[in-house]
Amino acid sequence: DYIQGSLEVVETELIMKKLFANIIRACIVVVGKLPLKFHYFMGDILSWIAEKLLRYRSDVVWINISRSFPEKKYKELKGIYKDFYRHLGELVAEFIWFGGSSYDRLRKHGIVRLTNINALSELYDKAPSVTLLSTHCGNWELLGGLPGYDSEDGGRLAFSEKEIYVVYKKMSSEISDRVFALNRIAPLELVGTECEVESKNILRFSIANKDRKCLYIYPADQAPYKGAGKHPIGEFMHQPTNAMIGSMGVACKLAHAVVYMKMKRVERGHYEMTFIPICEDASKMTPEEILRKYYDLLEEELNETPANWLWSHKRWK
């Protein structure tokens, strides 16, 4: 009876957390219907609070920036610091606006433009599957709209939303984890679509679906998770860096094509997404070689648009 009672309590707690997360998500959908200019206004207020009042991870941001750009003068570093906090407010604004969007709304606004979708589509046609390595540049929370964004070159999209899987690390808060998961499957046309795979399950999932063509999206620039294993990759942004090698290992094992996704912030409310092939057949490279190429491309991107990365995360622990 005690065990049965405990199970019922746990089940009730899970139901309540799920219900609360769904309510928050519903609120995001409603508020997200407001114009993006309104959300940017609120985002600017949030940026000011985060930078000036709360000093949100100020030490982490400053240390990361100053160590990554040792050649820059104090005034330049301060400019990157301030631009980052402004960008942080924009990320939140776009996250909420995206939650209330449809494909049609995304197209009309043009928040993301694909510069060379054919490069990704051609590899998708040839390879068993594609591993798309994303970063925390631009706004990664907009990835759910990938099938709905317009291409500058009028390119062809070789895959549908049902073939896209975002690999993620589950958050410690079950409510936050569900809210973010639900919002990542915006636009609203995708509600009910299973498009996420938890990182600890990706190898099993990929092998089970090896005969089915898929596009796997990995945010690969994070610090290694506890228990994920640390693999030294040499220097990245002038600092000795450890990385996770799991996504590259899966790609090599299953001969995926591997592509780097560059997301450049052109101006407020507009990003450019560019796909840079790393290899057509990962089985012909080592995971370390792929990972090194990925971080070289990321470093190029950061030198081009320094404030466009999530400098507040503890990348170098």
Side-chain angles (χ1 to χ4, degrees):
D1 290 342
Y2 173 77
I3 294 175
Q4 181 63 33
S6 299
L7 289 174
E8 289 177 357
V9 170
V10 171
E11 185 176 354
T12 301
E13 289 179 354
L14 290 174
I15 292 173
M16 292 304 296
K17 288 178 179 178
K18 185 176 181 179
L19 177 62
F20 189 47
N22 288 339
I23 292 173
I24 295 175
R25 162 63 176 161
C27 291
I28 290 175
V29 171
V30 173
V31 177
K33 297 290 185 182
L34 295 170
L36 187 53
K37 287 184 178 180
F38 167 80
H39 292 294
Y40 279 142
F41 173 75
M42 299 303 296
D44 287 340
I45 296 174
L46 180 62
S47 296
W48 185 84
I49 292 173
E51 180 189 356
K52 303 295 185 181
L53 294 185
L54 300 180
R55 295 186 61 80
Y56 171 71
R57 293 194 174 182
S58 176
D59 291 343
V60 174
V61 174
W62 187 251
I63 289 172
N64 282 345
I65 291 174
S66 59
R67 287 179 177 175
S68 297
F69 302 100
E71 75 287 353
K72 293 187 181 296
K73 297 180 180 179
Y74 175 80
K75 186 177 181 179
E76 294 175 291
L77 296 173
K78 188 67 175 178
I80 297 172
Y81 176 90
K82 293 181 71 65
D83 286 346
F84 162 72
Y85 278 102
R86 186 170 185 264
H87 177 53
L88 189 64
E90 292 175 349
L91 294 178
V92 178
E94 291 160 357
F95 171 80
I96 296 173
W97 178 83
F98 183 73
S101 295
S102 63
Y103 279 147
D104 186 56
R105 191 189 194 197
L106 293 174
R107 290 191 188 99
K108 285 182 178 179
H109 184 274
I111 192 168
V112 176
R113 297 283 291 178
L114 310 178
T115 65
N116 65 335
I117 191 62
N118 277 336
L120 179 59
S121 293
E122 287 170 7
L123 285 177
Y124 190 83
D125 286 337
K126 296 176 183 177
S129 285
V130 173
T131 290
L132 181 62
L133 301 178
S134 66
T135 71
H136 285 86
C137 290
N139 191 340
W140 54 96
E141 296 294 347
L142 301 178
L143 284 173
L146 180 58
Y149 297 133
D150 286 332
S151 177
E152 288 183 356
D153 59 0
R156 173 184 59 88
L157 199 70
F159 48 86
S160 70
E161 57 268 16
K162 294 181 180 180
E163 296 163 332
I164 301 174
Y165 293 92
V166 177
V167 183
Y168 77 106
K169 174 69 167 62
K170 189 174 182 179
M171 295 180 174
S172 56
S173 167
E174 292 183 22
I175 294 175
S176 296
D177 183 72
R178 180 165 178 80
V179 170
F180 275 84
L182 288 171
N183 212 71
R184 288 190 195 105
I185 63 173
L188 300 177
E189 289 96 335
L190 299 184
V191 172
T193 302
E194 293 295 329
C195 61
E196 289 199 318
V197 182
E198 195 174 352
S199 54
K200 67 179 182 180
N201 299 324
I202 186 57
L203 178 59
R204 185 185 304 111
F205 183 91
S206 299
I207 292 174
N209 290 273
K210 63 182 177 63
D211 296 325
R212 175 174 165 244
K213 197 182 288 284
C214 299
L215 179 73
Y216 297 101
I217 303 177
Y218 294 82
D221 57 346
Q222 297 166 300
Y225 306 139
K226 185 177 180 181
K230 298 179 180 180
H231 298 268
I233 61 163
E235 283 202 351
F236 163 60
M237 298 305 293
H238 304 282
Q239 299 168 80
T241 301
N242 291 320
M244 293 178 288
I245 209 166
S247 56
M248 270 54 75
V250 174
C252 290
K253 184 179 182 67
L254 300 176
H256 289 185
V258 181
V259 179
Y260 176 87
M261 192 203 77
K262 178 180 180 181
M263 194 170 187
K264 180 181 178 181
R265 181 185 178 277
V266 180
E267 59 183 0
R268 168 170 278 194
H270 296 284
Y271 297 93
E272 282 184 353
M273 199 178 285
T274 303
F275 305 99
I276 304 173
I278 292 178
C279 63
E280 294 185 4
D281 182 351
S283 67
K284 296 179 180 178
M285 296 178 70
T286 67
E288 291 79 9
E289 289 172 337
I290 297 174
L291 200 60
R292 183 65 259 175
K293 180 63 176 176
Y294 167 83
Y295 275 98
D296 287 343
L297 289 168
L298 176 55
E299 186 161 327
E300 288 180 16
E301 186 171 358
L302 295 184
N303 284 318
E304 182 182 346
T305 52
N308 195 41
W309 200 42
L310 189 63
W311 291 107
S312 57
H313 75 295
K314 298 178 181 179
R315 180 60 191 83
W316 295 277
K317 295 183 180 181

